[in-house]
Amino acid sequence: MTEHHVVYCSATRNIIAYVRQDETDAAAIARLKPEYGTALSAMPAREAQDLYETSFKTPVQEITSKEFDYALNVLPPVAWTHARGAESFKISERVAGCVTAIYVEMGRRYFRFHDDIRTPHDRCCDRVAAYIAAQPDASVPAPEVKP
């Protein structure tokens, strides 16, 4: 059984339509081009889903302890873990597909990034450690002062 193809729009980061059983990938793109433009590709559905989710993943960003605490208390945390001298948890609400916000506290510094909710604690810690090593003097931006 061959995997069904879909048409993915890279401009909107969305799966637009299925390729019909009676048409080629090129015919499906031609059918959808007038409405969606030229940023269309036909591909297996799983590949399109991976592209969609990957577009929502972000690099590690340093945040304040207040942002960390708020995230920990706003929704029930997923996979809240204390190990390797660090703490991590994931937000139970997804950004897109399996992508969610991941929070890590390491060495009294706080971090957030978006990635797959199934990312294990050790890999989350590795990403933050790499961020710290690349910019050890990075500081959290000062909070915005409102008049």
Side-chain angles (χ1 to χ4, degrees):
M1 183 171 143
T2 61
E3 186 173 2
H4 201 82
H5 280 203
V6 296
V7 177
Y8 178 83
C9 179
S10 58
T12 63
R13 303 181 311 196
N14 284 306
I15 296 170
I16 301 301
Y18 282 100
V19 175
R20 296 175 183 158
Q21 286 184 325
D22 62 341
E23 70 183 346
T24 65
D25 290 354
I29 290 170
R31 171 174 54 86
L32 297 164
K33 187 177 178 180
E35 186 175 351
Y36 296 100
T38 59
L40 303 177
S41 303
M43 62 189 67
R46 181 72 242 160
E47 185 179 328
Q49 182 67 25
D50 289 345
L51 278 174
Y52 171 74
E53 289 183 12
T54 297
S55 72
F56 289 92
K57 294 179 180 180
T58 63
V60 173
Q61 170 188 18
E62 192 158 2
I63 60 172
T64 65
S65 63
K66 188 174 182 177
E67 290 171 296
F68 183 91
D69 289 338
Y70 175 79
L72 182 58
N73 293 294
V74 71
L75 290 169
V78 173
W80 190 7
T81 305
H82 299 266
R84 285 184 56 181
E87 173 182 2
S88 77
F89 66 91
K90 289 104 176 169
I91 294 293
S92 56
E93 186 174 75
R94 310 307 193 279
V95 173
C98 289
V99 177
T100 192
I102 299 174
Y103 290 81
V104 177
E105 181 273 324
M106 184 179 284
R108 293 183 157 190
R109 291 172 67 182
Y110 303 88
F111 306 89
R112 173 183 56 226
F113 58 94
H114 291 166
D115 207 329
D116 192 303
I117 195 164
R118 299 166 291 198
T119 304
H121 174 75
D122 285 346
R123 193 171 324 146
C124 294
C125 292
D126 291 344
R127 284 193 60 188
V128 168
Y131 172 87
I132 292 170
Q135 30 199 357
D137 297 328
S139 62
V140 177
E144 196 174 299
V145 178
K146 297 187 179 183

